[in-house]
Amino acid sequence: MIRQRRLFTDLLKHLPQKAYTIITGARQVGKTTLLRQLYQHLHRDGKPVTYLSLEDPRVLAAASSHPDSLMQFLDVRPAPIIRQIQPQPVYLLVDEVQYAADATHLLKYLYDQYEQNLKIVATGSSAFYIDQNFTDSLAGRKRIFQLYPLSFSELLEFQGEPDLVRQLERLRSDSAYRAPDLERLRAAWLEYLVYGGYPAVADERDPAGKRFLLEELKNAYVKRDLMESRVEKELKFYLLFQLLADQTGSQLNKQELANTAGLDAKTVDQYVHILQKCFHIHLLRPFFRNLRKELTKMPKVYFHDLGMRNALLNRFTAAAERPDKGALLENYIFLQIRNQYPLDQIHYWRTSAQEEVDFVAEESFGQGKAFEVKWNAAAFDPKLYRAFRDAYPKFSLECLSADAFYWGGAGAS
């Protein structure tokens, strides 16, 4: 059974575009599989296509010596744009492009030399490197697509549960619908809160096996991020990572983190930056219009995968029985909103009087949607949010609870 990520459709739509297609994301989220599926699709359509991995020493040596050296691996070579424009491009799929000695120069040279005669689709495991190397010289020459761990509905698809996916989608669109397998859906969702959405973890059905895989992701693959990011204080980095996991949904006080981890503030900044650029965490910035009453510098921290978060804390007990179940739900809602809105449109709201709304999604200037997260819906008191409603009358405000675990608006997955 071929299991395609939902990003696959977006990638296909971008293939005719001249700009290079760059796929980023954390390690082990499925970028290589996605690239190979694109290869199979293009090959079946009779397109001239070559797949190369820069983890292959021969390919890496060629790419690092001169960009044109990669042409030796192509069955069909593109013509330089100064000679002729070909009726169809040659497709070159490059896995782990960040390993090139100078990835920016490699891609810029090939683009300028071959332009629409050569279409490159490339993956890179760490946005830390992509941000550093893919400089302004590639402006207009690339479009970046981010691949996250599986969403809840994608996980159901991966586990061969199309009926549950259909019921989930109908629950989201029809408030009167009563799903026949609601309890199975809820059980799968509660498991998702504990083990997250890494594809290998989703494939493993045994809880002990899931825990083993998450430990491997936490230790082996995060360690590769550390090595490539030249982190010197590995143990303190992991300690900081654990501290952030324990503060999910809370404001991030970097000075307190520095004191607890025994690091200086500059190093905390550096390590937090690496964790963001390696797609492990996201810092949610505050939403404000009234600078005096609302402005706060501290962001809130969320994880891009709950399984990784729980592995850092070694907490794998049932979600509904845990004291941090509210944090798990809040992080899950962040993942749902993240799949609907660009990250830079998602914020939280807090005043100097400690009034707070968990998520504010600004759809256009001065209007959008706001969400408050409560495990138990009965704990939501609309009167406590009058200040937000008065300040932002064009923002709807909705309480999201564990009872409405299936929630998801347009674009949710």
Side-chain angles (χ1 to χ4, degrees):
M1 179 179 65
I2 297 176
R3 301 177 300 180
Q4 290 177 346
R5 298 296 301 273
R6 294 181 180 178
L7 187 63
F8 185 81
T9 302
D10 294 333
L11 296 174
L12 287 183
K13 290 178 181 177
H14 192 252
L15 283 180
Q17 303 301 313
K18 189 166 61 173
Y20 288 170
T21 306
I22 310 296
I23 308 166
T24 67
R27 299 183 190 278
Q28 299 297 301
V29 293
K31 298 184 301 300
T32 296
T33 299
L34 199 54
L35 201 64
R36 288 173 175 165
Q37 289 175 343
L38 284 172
Y39 172 84
Q40 292 166 358
H41 176 87
L42 290 165
H43 185 70
R44 282 195 302 269
D45 281 358
K47 308 291 187 184
V49 57
T50 300
Y51 170 91
L52 298 175
S53 173
L54 292 193
E55 289 191 310
D56 183 328
R58 296 176 307 125
V59 177
L60 178 59
S64 299
S65 62
H66 193 281
D68 269 332
S69 298
L70 286 179
M71 297 301 109
Q72 65 183 290
F73 299 103
L74 275 62
D75 295 328
V76 177
R77 299 189 181 189
I81 198 69
I82 57 173
R83 295 184 193 168
Q84 62 179 338
I85 297 177
Q86 297 169 186
Q88 68 171 335
V90 173
Y91 292 88
L92 175 57
L93 313 186
V94 184
D95 204 13
E96 304 287 12
V97 71
Q98 82 278 356
Y99 287 137
D102 189 341
T104 296
H105 174 69
L106 172 73
L107 294 180
K108 182 179 183 300
Y109 176 89
L110 293 176
Y111 186 96
D112 293 342
Q113 184 76 0
Y114 300 100
E115 207 169 312
Q116 63 257 48
N117 287 350
L118 178 68
K119 170 70 180 199
I120 286 184
V121 183
T123 73
S125 289
S126 170
F128 179 80
Y129 285 94
I130 287 176
D131 276 3
Q132 294 296 319
N133 292 337
F134 290 23
T135 58
D136 289 342
S137 61
L138 284 173
R141 296 177 173 89
K142 70 181 187 305
R143 179 178 170 187
I144 294 179
F145 294 82
Q146 188 160 330
L147 183 66
Y148 293 110
L150 299 169
S151 66
F152 176 48
S153 56
E154 278 187 311
L155 177 134
L156 294 175
E157 291 174 353
F158 261 57
Q159 293 182 342
E161 299 282 4
D163 287 341
L164 291 185
V165 175
R166 284 191 287 271
Q167 290 180 46
L168 179 66
E169 291 173 350
R170 187 168 174 188
L171 279 167
R172 289 172 172 173
S173 61
D174 183 357
S175 60
Y177 176 64
R178 296 295 177 262
D181 295 312
L182 184 63
E183 289 310 309
R184 282 184 62 211
L185 264 174
R186 186 187 302 276
W189 173 73
L190 288 170
E191 184 175 90
Y192 181 78
L193 293 187
V194 175
Y195 296 111
Y198 276 96
V201 179
D203 277 338
E204 174 61 62
R205 294 305 183 94
D206 178 57
K210 288 179 179 290
R211 292 193 291 271
F212 173 82
L213 289 170
L214 284 168
E215 285 295 313
E216 186 176 38
L217 283 165
K218 182 190 73 174
N219 295 326
Y221 292 104
V222 173
K223 188 167 185 175
R224 287 182 66 180
D225 289 334
L226 304 191
M227 292 172 58
E228 294 176 9
S229 303
R230 296 181 177 88
V231 169
E232 296 178 355
K233 301 175 181 178
E234 182 179 323
L235 293 179
K236 291 192 174 184
F237 181 96
Y238 273 106
L239 174 58
L240 178 66
F241 206 2
Q242 289 175 313
L243 291 171
L244 292 172
D246 205 33
Q247 295 183 15
T248 301
S250 299
Q251 287 185 311
L252 190 153
N253 187 320
K254 291 183 180 179
Q255 190 55 57
E256 286 184 6
L257 289 170
N259 294 338
T260 305
L263 296 165
D264 59 80
K266 183 178 179 181
T267 304
V268 168
D269 274 333
Q270 177 193 353
Y271 288 179
V272 168
H273 177 74
I274 290 170
L275 287 169
Q276 291 179 85
K277 296 306 178 183
C278 292
F279 302 106
H280 295 302
I281 65 171
H282 176 71
L283 299 186
L284 198 69
R285 302 292 172 181
F287 176 79
F288 57 87
R289 290 288 182 266
N290 187 318
L291 296 179
R292 183 174 62 85
K293 291 184 178 180
E294 298 173 340
L295 182 58
T296 175
K297 294 182 179 180
M298 288 191 290
K300 291 170 67 173
V301 61
Y302 293 97
F303 276 67
H304 284 297
D305 184 76
L306 284 165
M308 176 64 74
R309 183 260 181 188
N310 291 327
L312 286 161
L313 298 173
N314 195 28
R315 295 178 191 166
F316 294 107
T317 53
E321 301 170 5
R322 289 166 52 162
D324 63 344
K325 61 186 178 183
L328 291 176
L329 177 61
E330 188 174 325
N331 201 129
Y332 171 77
I333 295 299
F334 162 74
L335 299 180
Q336 290 294 93
I337 297 173
R338 180 203 66 190
N339 290 337
Q340 299 176 56
Y341 297 95
L343 282 171
D344 60 3
Q345 289 179 216
I346 309 170
H347 306 275
Y348 76 96
W349 179 80
R350 187 169 185 171
T351 71
S352 55
Q354 308 303 306
E355 298 161 306
E356 185 171 347
V357 174
D358 290 324
F359 299 105
V360 178
E362 189 169 27
E363 297 176 336
S364 60
F365 185 79
Q367 62 182 20
K369 295 178 181 177
F371 308 95
E372 180 66 10
V373 181
K374 301 288 185 186
W375 186 271
N376 295 311
F380 178 72
D381 183 355
K383 295 193 296 294
L384 298 178
Y385 304 91
R386 186 173 298 140
F388 179 82
R389 293 179 184 275
D390 290 345
Y392 303 102
K394 294 185 178 180
F395 280 79
S396 62
L397 177 62
E398 181 180 358
C399 175
L400 302 175
S401 72
D403 291 334
F405 68 89
Y406 47 81
W407 175 84
S413 59

